[in-house]
């Protein structure tokens, strides 16, 4: 019970029963094809919901059969937060994942404390609460290039710097988004001092700004690339 209770509490926190009947609600499902060079690595799915100043998303990633030969990462993650002055601010964040090198783990990020379970056989422990906005909200769902100093994955925070931006037109195959984008070029650094370059292209999908392409520079390996699949699945707006 000590392990399941925090998950139940966080689930209620992240996914409340909406009571804003008079407010406009926006729902959409964004699906991203992940690739490393010619290898199809898997599918990232983000179910996004916003009502006025409150937003939430439920995401999932599953590595492909081809990618499983080299590395496996399957997980669910969810976030709830506030839309403040055109910026997203994470209030609660949950990740459940299983990978080749970490096994099964759960992280519960909240406004007062963060709890972490490293193995299914272990109890939750309290860890330092990471700073900044969660990575998905900051890089995939922000209405403009993220200008904050920190992002996090629920467990660890990372220093991030917006190095440059530019407007361009993205040309892509018909199954992907094609059109005008804002390109955001970042440098990110982990707590071991390792740096990576991240490039995010933001596009406008029926009035909502969202990442349409994301790539990460990794030394000696092909760049992982996430590309938005079209059409976007729309929920009912009210």
């Amino acid at each position: 019970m000590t392990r399941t209770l925090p998950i139940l509490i966080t689930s209620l926190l992240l996914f409340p029963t909406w009571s804003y009947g008079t407010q406009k609600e926006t729902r959409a499902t964004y699906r991203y094809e992940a690739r490393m060079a010619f290898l199809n690595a898997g599918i990232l799915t983000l179910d996004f919901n916003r009502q006025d100043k409150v937003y939430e998303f439920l995401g999932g990633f599953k590595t492909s059969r081809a990618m499983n030969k080299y590395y496996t990462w399957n997980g669910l993650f969810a976030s709830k937060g506030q839309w403040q002055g055109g910026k997203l601010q994470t209030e609660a964040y949950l990740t459940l994942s299983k990978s080749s090198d970490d096994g099964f783990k759960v992280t519960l990020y909240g406004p007062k404390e963060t709890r972490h379970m490293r193995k299914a056989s272990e109890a939750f422990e309290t860890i330092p609460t990471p700073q900044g906005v969660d990575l998905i909200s900051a890089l995939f769902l922000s209405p403009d290039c993220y200008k904050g100093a920190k992002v996090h994955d629920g467990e660890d925070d990372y220093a991030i710097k917006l190095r440059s931006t530019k407007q361009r037109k993205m040309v892509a195959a018909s199954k992907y988004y094609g059109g005008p984008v804002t390109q955001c070029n970042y440098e990110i650094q982990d707590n071991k001092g390792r740096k990576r370059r991240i490039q995010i292209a933001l596009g406008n999908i029926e009035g909502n700004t969202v990442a349409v392409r994301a790539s990460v520079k990794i030394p000696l390996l092909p760049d992982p690339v996430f590309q938005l699949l079209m059409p976007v699945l729309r929920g009912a707006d009210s």
Side-chain angles (χ1 to χ4, degrees), residues 36-195:
M36 294 186 71
F38 297 105
L39 181 67
N40 183 345
I43 295 292
L44 168 67
T45 302
L46 297 176
D47 290 319
F48 178 71
N49 185 6
R50 178 187 176 188
Q51 287 192 343
D52 193 32
K53 295 182 179 180
V54 179
Y55 79 93
E56 63 185 18
F57 71 78
L58 173 64
F61 183 81
K62 183 175 179 61
T63 49
S64 66
R65 186 175 299 177
M67 187 66 187
N68 281 336
K69 298 177 182 178
Y70 307 98
Y71 184 79
T72 298
W73 193 96
N74 297 318
L76 294 173
F77 40 95
S79 181
K80 175 179 176 289
Q82 293 283 334
W83 207 284
Q84 299 176 345
K87 299 177 182 179
L88 282 69
Q89 183 60 52
T90 310
E91 293 184 334
Y93 190 74
L94 163 69
T95 60
L96 302 92
S97 64
K98 186 177 182 180
S99 65
S100 300
D101 47 10
D102 277 334
F104 177 79
K105 66 178 184 178
V106 180
T107 302
L108 305 168
Y109 165 97
K112 294 184 178 179
E113 68 175 12
T114 297
R115 305 276 285 166
H116 183 63
M117 185 176 71
R118 298 182 186 279
K119 295 181 181 179
S121 59
E122 296 180 358
F124 277 92
E125 61 176 342
T126 300
I127 62 174
T129 297
Q131 302 177 50
V133 177
D134 72 83
L135 277 160
I136 297 295
S137 295
L139 302 183
F140 279 71
L141 301 173
S142 289
D144 200 354
C145 297
Y146 180 71
K147 298 179 178 66
K150 295 276 188 177
V151 291
H152 70 79
D153 60 7
E155 180 181 0
D156 298 308
D157 53 38
Y158 305 86
I160 188 169
K161 181 179 181 180
L162 178 63
R163 299 184 63 88
S164 64
T165 66
K166 71 175 182 179
Q167 305 296 316
R168 67 182 182 89
K169 184 175 182 179
M170 178 177 290
V171 178
S174 59
K175 69 175 182 177
Y176 304 122
Y177 170 88
V181 299
T182 299
Q183 182 174 305
C184 314
N185 300 309
Y186 301 96
E187 182 179 81
I188 191 168
Q189 179 176 318
D190 66 15
N191 54 19
K192 295 181 179 180
R194 295 173 296 191
K195 295 180 180 180

